[in-house]
């Protein structure tokens, strides 16, 4: 029965969404790529991906009205990488106004570390069902130049020069800085947990 | 802590892996998808597919291969070999590649680096540089190291960073194929002078070589082909030993 869930990956022209679709398929579900408001609203689960530059991604969201739609969604929503950053108030990248779901301002890594951070890093201080069956200190795959400073909505933390929030949660909204679709078995577990989240009404 | 990465490189010709492979458990060692999955299972952090075919159908075959790999693989992968335009990159990324690597085309048309990083983001642009030490000067070489240029490795690397590359894959032609270790002095200098990750390539023969390139060469990742394909070094064992030597590894 669970296989009948309707999973929509928001397709607004930003980045490598094929990999997310395939990762969902490997878990035994089908996902639809869409930018259609009705289809997104009627989904059981929504994945909001994003790779690239914040300013141009935000412009693409605005041009399709998705910037208004996403914060209004009621079902579980998972922002991935830039998707999560766009769900914050503001990003230093292109001085971009975000969707304002998470109360945080996205900053660029200082040049005391190599930028972008590329590779496998650890997640700690794990909270919520998103991390069920995931051990403290597990490794996930990250590629990013901007980060979310530690904030109230944090449900996972990573250290790269600074300690920062690698996952966020507020109401029905989740965000992960890392790429679950590229994070081997740990990523598969996290994606599976998201697809299994049921909201209490 | 961010770990150092171990990256097997698969040479691809007409959609098949070319180097002899000693994987006993594989049904078809020439099948890039199966080989990729086996490496991921062993603990490879990332994979590079280098297309060395030179046919008319090359673009189509590679795009199809990327799609097949993306469908199965749960770790990131880079695709390189003959990529020379924004359109080439667009189809590969759409089909599921995480990064592309450009080499000779970047030297011939440096503006391509800017175009790619602006359109797709720096994080997916790897610039591969092949160089050789000529009378004490590291000079960039093209076409798989066959054609020398007068370009200085370190100057080119800095330009590549400024133009928006997210990573540099540096192959020392003097070390490639020798199994005597990586070009750690040049690597360390690249790592000190630049602020983007550096992938070491060329010269892997023993486990110590990987240790040295991370510790002395300050590399962020190490790439190798034949030592992995011929099972001279097993990735799980390599990572365990490097981990015991105090190098951060995902184990």
């Amino acid at each position: 029965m669970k296989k009948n869930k309707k999973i929509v990956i928001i397709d607004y022209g930003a980045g490598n969404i094929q990999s997310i679709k395939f990762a969902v398929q490997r878990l035994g579900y089908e996902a639809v790529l869409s930018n259609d408001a009705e289809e997104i609203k009627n989904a059981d689960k929504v994945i909001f991906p994003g790779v690239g530059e914040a300013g141009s991604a935000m412009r693409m969201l605005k041009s399709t009205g998705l910037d208004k739609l996403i914060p209004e969604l009621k079902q579980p929503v998972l922002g991935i990488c830039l998707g999560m950053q766009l769900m914050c108030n503001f990003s230093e990248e292109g001085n971009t106004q975000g969707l304002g779901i998470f109360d945080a301002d996205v900053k660029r890594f200082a040049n005391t570390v190599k930028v972008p951070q590329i590779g496998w890093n650890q997640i700690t201080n794990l909270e919520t069902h998103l991390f069920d069956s995931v051990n403290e200190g597990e490794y996930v795959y990250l590629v990013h130049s901007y980060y979310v400073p530690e904030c109230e909505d944090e449900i996972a933390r990573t250290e790269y020069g600074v300690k920062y929030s690698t996952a966020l949660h507020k109401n029905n909204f989740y965000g992960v800085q890392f790429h679950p679709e590229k994070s081997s078995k740990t990523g598969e577990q996290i994606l599976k947990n998201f697809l299994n989240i049921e909201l209490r009404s | 802590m961010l770990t150092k990465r171990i990256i097997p490189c698969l040479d691809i010709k007409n959609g098949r892996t070319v180097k002899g492979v000693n994987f006993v458990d594989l049904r078809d060692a020439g099948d890039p998808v199966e080989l990729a999955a086996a490496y991921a299972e062993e603990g490879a952090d990332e994979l590079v597919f280098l297309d060395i075919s030179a046919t008319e159908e090359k673009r189509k075959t590679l795009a199809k291969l990327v799609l097949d790999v993306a469908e199965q693989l749960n770790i990131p992968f880079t695709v390189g070999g003959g990529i020379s335009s924004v359109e080439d990159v667009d189809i590969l990324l759409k089909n599921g590649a995480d990064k592309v690597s450009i080499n000779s085309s970047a030297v011939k048309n440096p503006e391509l680096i800017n175009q790619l990083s602006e359109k797709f983001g720096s994080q997916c642009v790897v610039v591969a540089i092949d160089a050789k030490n000529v009378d004490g000067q590291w000079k960039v070489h093209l076409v798989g190291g066959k054609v020398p240029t007068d370009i200085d490795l370190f100057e080119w690397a800095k330009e590549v960073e400024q133009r928006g590359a997210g990573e540099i894959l540096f192959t020392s032609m003097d070390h490639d194929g020798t199994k005597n270790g990586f070009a750690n002095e040049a690597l360390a200098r690249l790592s000190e002078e630049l602020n983007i990750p550096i992938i070491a390539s060329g010269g892997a023969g023993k486990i110590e070589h990987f240790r040295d390139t991370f510790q002395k060469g300050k590399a962020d990742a190490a790439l190798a082909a034949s030592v992995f394909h011929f099972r001279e070094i097993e990735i799980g064992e390599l990572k365990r030993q490097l981990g015991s030597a105090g190098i951060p590894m995902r184990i």
Side-chain angles (χ1 to χ4, degrees):
Chain A
M1 194 178 102
K2 64 172 192 177
K3 308 282 175 188
N4 294 331
K5 269 181 199 151
K6 190 163 162 51
I7 300 156
V8 170
I9 302 170
I10 300 181
D11 180 6
Y12 59 109
N16 180 354
I17 54 177
Q18 199 67 252
S19 300
I20 300 173
K21 187 179 160 150
F22 285 143
V24 169
Q25 272 176 17
R26 288 195 295 270
L27 293 170
Y29 300 89
E30 280 302 319
V32 185
L33 309 181
S34 176
N35 64 0
D36 179 76
E38 282 310 304
E39 190 155 38
I40 295 169
K41 268 195 252 175
N42 290 323
D44 295 308
K45 298 277 154 52
V46 175
I47 298 176
F48 175 41
V51 170
E53 198 267 329
S56 51
M58 201 61 207
R59 277 191 294 279
M60 286 191 272
L61 286 178
K62 280 186 177 157
S63 73
T64 47
L66 290 169
D67 62 318
K68 298 279 188 307
L69 176 76
I70 294 169
E72 299 294 317
L73 291 172
K74 302 287 179 245
Q75 62 276 63
V77 178
L78 177 67
I80 296 177
C81 194
L82 179 64
M84 175 184 98
Q85 295 186 358
L86 293 176
M87 288 158 87
C88 296
N89 286 334
F90 176 79
S91 172
E92 272 185 13
E93 188 176 26
N95 284 323
T96 305
Q97 211 62 43
L99 300 175
I101 295 166
F102 301 121
D103 189 12
D105 289 352
V106 181
K107 289 187 160 51
R108 193 176 195 278
F109 282 121
N111 276 338
T112 48
V113 288
K114 287 193 177 187
V115 184
Q117 171 176 228
I118 299 185
W120 298 79
N121 204 334
Q122 289 169 294
I123 44 174
T124 61
N125 302 68
L126 306 176
E127 290 172 37
T128 77
H129 290 304
L130 192 64
F131 296 105
D132 281 353
S133 307
V134 177
N135 295 324
E136 283 287 315
E138 281 287 357
Y139 290 96
V140 291
Y141 186 76
L142 297 141
V143 186
H144 61 127
S145 303
Y146 293 80
Y147 70 97
V148 175
E150 287 203 84
C151 65
E152 212 159 85
D153 300 329
E154 172 180 295
I155 52 168
R157 189 182 301 167
T158 293
E159 191 168 352
Y160 187 61
V162 288
K163 286 186 179 133
Y164 68 98
S165 300
T166 25
L168 303 172
H169 169 236
K170 190 185 218 173
N171 306 324
N172 56 318
F173 294 97
Y174 294 80
V176 289
Q177 180 61 61
F178 52 86
H179 288 273
E181 75 279 15
K182 293 288 170 177
S183 293
S184 193
K185 294 186 175 85
T186 303
E188 280 169 5
Q189 183 64 48
I190 294 166
L191 207 49
K192 193 165 135 193
N193 290 341
F194 172 72
L195 298 178
N196 286 331
I197 282 171
E198 297 298 339
L199 297 178
R200 289 194 192 119
S201 49
Chain B
M1 194 190 279
L2 181 69
T3 68
K4 303 286 187 180
R5 288 168 282 153
I6 300 294
I7 308 177
C9 177
L10 287 71
D11 285 351
I12 303 293
K13 198 170 184 179
N14 305 327
R16 308 270 299 164
T17 45
V18 282
K19 284 195 180 143
V21 174
N22 283 351
F23 275 84
V24 279
D25 299 337
L26 294 187
R27 281 180 293 115
D28 176 6
D31 176 7
V33 178
E34 202 181 342
L35 187 57
Y39 277 132
E41 191 62 33
E42 277 194 344
D45 294 305
E46 219 174 294
L47 296 173
V48 168
F49 294 86
L50 189 62
D51 192 359
I52 56 169
S53 47
T55 57
E56 295 272 315
E57 271 79 55
K58 174 173 177 151
R59 281 192 173 78
K60 255 192 205 160
T61 323
L62 186 60
K64 170 74 168 62
L65 172 72
V66 166
L67 198 63
D68 292 344
V69 171
E71 195 168 358
Q72 299 299 327
L73 199 65
N74 61 9
I75 60 168
F77 67 100
T78 303
V79 183
I83 296 168
S84 59
S85 70
V86 171
E87 294 72 42
D88 288 350
V89 172
D90 191 47
I91 181 82
L92 296 172
L93 295 180
K94 276 203 178 114
N95 280 9
D98 297 282
K99 308 182 227 181
V100 293
S101 134
I102 52 173
N103 191 335
S104 301
S105 60
V107 176
K108 284 177 206 148
N109 172 22
E111 193 59 29
L112 180 63
I113 305 169
N114 303 65
Q115 290 167 353
L116 293 179
S117 67
E118 276 156 30
K119 184 155 166 77
F120 307 108
S122 289
Q123 80 291 330
C124 63
V125 184
V126 181
V127 175
I129 307 177
D130 299 337
K132 211 180 259 189
N133 193 326
V134 182
D135 304 325
Q137 300 272 322
W138 281 94
K139 296 292 183 191
V140 174
H141 282 57
L142 302 180
V143 202
K146 288 185 212 107
V147 179
T149 73
D150 206 30
I151 304 167
D152 176 77
L153 162 67
F154 302 100
E155 280 170 25
W156 174 233
K158 270 177 231 163
E159 182 179 340
V160 156
E161 177 179 30
Q162 277 158 14
R163 286 181 178 275
E167 259 179 317
I168 287 177
L169 166 57
F170 166 54
T171 305
S172 162
M173 305 313 298
D174 297 321
H175 296 72
D176 200 28
T178 64
K179 300 202 173 183
N180 282 330
F182 295 89
N184 294 324
E185 270 181 41
L187 281 161
R189 195 175 149 194
L190 284 172
S191 220
E192 277 156 19
E193 293 186 6
L194 273 64
N195 202 46
I196 53 176
I198 309 291
I199 305 167
S201 159
K206 296 180 188 159
I207 288 182
E208 300 91 275
H209 296 153
F210 288 89
R211 187 196 61 205
D212 288 347
T213 205
F214 292 132
Q215 290 179 336
K216 296 178 187 157
K218 301 189 168 76
D220 298 285
L223 176 142
S226 59
V227 286
F228 297 139
H229 301 326
F230 293 113
R231 315 298 285 160
E232 291 160 22
I233 295 177
E234 195 266 318
I235 291 173
E237 178 58 22
L238 170 66
K239 292 180 83 175
R240 275 189 292 280
Q241 286 200 28
L242 293 174
S244 315
I247 295 165
M249 280 283 137
R250 176 179 69 103
I251 296 170

